[in-house]
Protein backbone atom coordinates (compact mmCIF):
# COMPACT_ATOMS: atom_id res chain seq x y z
CA UNK A 1 0.00 0.00 0.00
CA UNK A 2 1.25 3.51 -0.69
CA UNK A 3 2.71 5.62 2.12
CA UNK A 4 3.69 9.25 2.41
CA UNK A 5 7.06 10.11 3.88
CA UNK A 6 8.55 13.59 4.39
CA UNK A 7 11.36 15.06 6.47
CA UNK A 8 12.24 18.67 7.10
CA UNK A 9 14.65 20.50 9.34
CA UNK A 10 13.24 23.41 11.36
CA UNK A 11 15.67 25.61 13.22
CA UNK A 12 13.63 25.83 16.45
CA UNK A 13 13.46 23.56 19.50
CA UNK A 14 11.46 20.34 19.60
CA UNK A 15 9.37 22.01 22.33
CA UNK A 16 8.38 24.81 19.94
CA UNK A 17 7.47 22.38 17.17
CA UNK A 18 5.52 20.09 19.49
CA UNK A 19 3.57 22.99 21.01
CA UNK A 20 2.58 24.06 17.49
CA UNK A 21 1.42 20.62 16.31
CA UNK A 22 -0.28 19.61 19.56
CA UNK A 23 -2.59 22.60 20.08
CA UNK A 24 -5.52 24.01 18.13
CA UNK A 25 -3.96 27.47 18.34
CA UNK A 26 -0.77 26.06 16.87
CA UNK A 27 -2.49 24.45 13.86
CA UNK A 28 -4.65 27.52 13.27
CA UNK A 29 -1.62 29.81 13.34
CA UNK A 30 0.01 28.28 10.27
CA UNK A 31 -2.28 25.85 8.45
CA UNK A 32 -5.96 25.47 9.39
CA UNK A 33 -8.74 27.91 10.16
CA UNK A 34 -10.78 26.31 12.93
CA UNK A 35 -9.02 23.26 14.33
CA UNK A 36 -10.25 21.87 17.63
CA UNK A 37 -7.95 19.55 19.49
CA UNK A 38 -8.04 17.89 22.88
CA UNK A 39 -5.36 15.66 24.36
CA UNK A 40 -6.26 13.47 27.34
CA UNK A 41 -3.78 12.78 30.16
CA UNK A 42 -3.02 9.35 28.60
CA UNK A 43 -1.87 10.97 25.33
CA UNK A 44 -4.96 10.12 23.30
CA UNK A 45 -7.66 12.52 22.25
CA UNK A 46 -9.42 14.05 19.28
CA UNK A 47 -8.50 16.44 16.48
CA UNK A 48 -10.93 18.12 14.08
CA UNK A 49 -9.40 20.28 11.36
CA UNK A 50 -11.26 22.81 9.27
CA UNK A 51 -10.23 24.91 6.30
CA UNK A 52 -12.52 27.61 4.91
CA UNK A 53 -12.32 28.93 1.35
CA UNK A 54 -9.72 26.25 0.66
CA UNK A 55 -8.02 25.82 -2.70
CA UNK A 56 -9.00 27.17 -6.09
CA UNK A 57 -12.63 26.09 -5.54
CA UNK A 58 -12.86 27.98 -2.21
CA UNK A 59 -14.48 25.02 -0.45
CA UNK A 60 -14.83 24.32 3.25
CA UNK A 61 -13.06 21.11 4.24
CA UNK A 62 -13.41 19.34 7.58
CA UNK A 63 -11.54 16.26 8.65
CA UNK A 64 -9.96 14.62 11.67
CA UNK A 65 -10.50 11.80 14.07
CA UNK A 66 -8.68 10.30 17.03
CA UNK A 67 -5.33 11.32 18.39
CA UNK A 68 -3.70 7.95 18.93
CA UNK A 69 -0.52 9.11 20.62
CA UNK A 70 0.80 12.43 21.87
CA UNK A 71 4.20 12.19 23.53
CA UNK A 72 5.43 15.66 24.45
CA UNK A 73 8.38 16.82 22.37
CA UNK A 74 8.67 13.46 20.60
CA UNK A 75 5.61 12.27 18.68
CA UNK A 76 2.11 13.25 17.56
CA UNK A 77 -0.07 10.60 15.86
CA UNK A 78 -3.61 11.11 14.58
CA UNK A 79 -6.11 9.67 12.14
CA UNK A 80 -8.16 11.38 9.49
CA UNK A 81 -10.00 10.34 6.32
CA UNK A 82 -8.89 12.19 3.19
CA UNK A 83 -9.54 9.02 1.16
CA UNK A 84 -11.87 6.08 1.32
CA UNK A 85 -10.92 5.04 4.85
CA UNK A 86 -8.96 6.42 7.79
CA UNK A 87 -5.24 6.92 7.42
CA UNK A 88 -2.73 7.50 10.20
CA UNK A 89 -0.40 10.50 10.29
CA UNK A 90 2.68 10.10 12.48
CA UNK A 91 4.86 13.11 13.18
CA UNK A 92 8.13 12.30 14.94
CA UNK A 93 10.37 15.03 16.31
CA UNK A 94 14.11 14.56 16.78
CA UNK A 95 16.61 17.10 18.07
CA UNK A 96 19.02 17.83 15.23
CA UNK A 97 21.86 20.34 15.12
CA UNK A 98 20.38 23.65 16.28
CA UNK A 99 16.76 22.64 15.81
CA UNK A 100 14.38 19.80 15.05
CA UNK A 101 14.08 17.14 12.39
CA UNK A 102 10.37 16.70 11.65
CA UNK A 103 9.61 13.27 10.19
CA UNK A 104 6.10 12.76 8.83
CA UNK A 105 4.64 9.44 7.71
CA UNK A 106 1.09 8.79 6.58
CA UNK A 107 -0.13 5.23 6.05
CA UNK A 108 -3.36 3.33 5.69
CA UNK A 109 -4.27 4.02 2.07
CA UNK A 110 -5.58 1.20 -0.09
CA UNK A 111 -5.07 0.74 -3.82
CA UNK A 112 -8.58 2.00 -4.62
CA UNK A 113 -8.84 4.87 -7.07
CA UNK A 114 -10.18 7.22 -4.38
CA UNK A 115 -7.40 6.35 -1.92
CA UNK A 116 -4.65 6.63 -4.54
CA UNK A 117 -5.96 10.05 -5.56
CA UNK A 118 -6.10 11.18 -1.91
CA UNK A 119 -2.61 9.79 -1.29
CA UNK A 120 -1.16 11.78 -4.20
CA UNK A 121 -2.93 14.96 -3.06
CA UNK A 122 -1.81 14.48 0.54
CA UNK A 123 1.78 13.67 -0.47
CA UNK A 124 1.95 17.06 -2.17
CA UNK A 125 -0.05 18.71 0.59
CA UNK A 126 2.13 17.46 3.45
CA UNK A 127 5.24 18.69 1.65
CA UNK A 128 3.66 22.12 1.35
CA UNK A 129 2.38 21.98 4.93
CA UNK A 130 5.81 21.22 6.37
CA UNK A 131 7.23 24.15 4.40
CA UNK A 132 4.50 26.38 5.86
CA UNK A 133 5.29 25.08 9.35
CA UNK A 134 8.98 25.82 8.80
CA UNK A 135 8.50 29.40 7.61
CA UNK A 136 6.00 30.05 10.38
CA UNK A 137 8.24 28.74 13.16
CA UNK A 138 11.52 30.14 11.84
CA UNK A 139 10.32 33.52 10.55
CA UNK A 140 6.81 34.09 11.90
CA UNK A 141 5.40 34.20 8.37
CA UNK A 142 1.84 32.97 7.82
CA UNK A 143 1.06 32.11 4.24
CA UNK A 144 -2.12 30.07 4.37
CA UNK A 145 -4.56 32.38 2.59
CA UNK A 146 -3.44 31.22 -0.88
CA UNK A 147 -3.68 27.46 -0.27
Amino acid sequence: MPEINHKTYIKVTVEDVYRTISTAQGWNAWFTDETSLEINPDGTGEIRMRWTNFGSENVTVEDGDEILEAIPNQKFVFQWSPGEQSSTVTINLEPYREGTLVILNESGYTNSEKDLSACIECATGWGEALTLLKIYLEYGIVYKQDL
Side-chain angles (χ1 to χ4, degrees):
M1 302 301 149
E3 286 191 8
I4 297 168
N5 296 289
H6 285 284
K7 290 181 185 178
T8 195
Y9 170 70
I10 302 177
K11 201 172 180 180
V12 300
T13 66
V14 292
E15 292 84 3
D16 288 341
V17 178
Y18 184 79
R19 185 172 33 260
T20 304
I21 64 170
S22 66
T23 64
Q25 299 84 1
W27 282 92
N28 292 332
W30 65 279
F31 190 49
T32 59
D33 297 312
E34 297 175 36
T35 287
S36 63
L37 185 154
E38 186 172 326
I39 299 174
N40 301 318
D42 68 355
T44 64
E46 187 173 323
I47 185 169
R48 296 295 310 161
M49 295 177 276
R50 180 183 169 101
W51 296 265
T52 55
N53 298 318
F54 182 76
S56 59
E57 293 87 28
N58 293 318
V59 297
T60 296
V61 178
E62 292 185 41
D63 206 332
D65 201 337
E66 292 181 60
I67 296 170
L68 302 176
E69 193 173 15
I71 302 172
N73 309 321
Q74 293 178 30
K75 183 186 279 192
F76 188 76
V77 182
F78 68 93
Q79 291 186 315
W80 69 334
S81 301
E84 209 168 318
Q85 62 184 29
S86 290
S87 63
T88 302
V89 177
T90 301
I91 304 171
N92 285 297
L93 308 177
E94 296 179 6
Y96 182 75
R97 296 189 181 177
E98 299 172 26
T100 304
L101 185 61
V102 178
I103 304 163
L104 184 141
N105 172 271
E106 184 173 3
S107 61
Y109 291 103
T110 67
N111 284 325
S112 74
E113 188 173 320
K114 185 175 180 180
D115 267 5
L116 290 173
S117 177
C119 183
I120 290 167
E121 287 181 26
C122 288
T124 302
W126 281 122
E128 293 171 352
L130 290 178
T131 300
L132 292 173
L133 178 62
K134 178 179 179 69
I135 63 171
Y136 169 69
L137 286 171
E138 289 184 357
Y139 303 102
I141 297 171
V142 176
Y143 192 73
K144 62 181 181 180
Q145 63 271 19
D146 291 335
L147 289 177

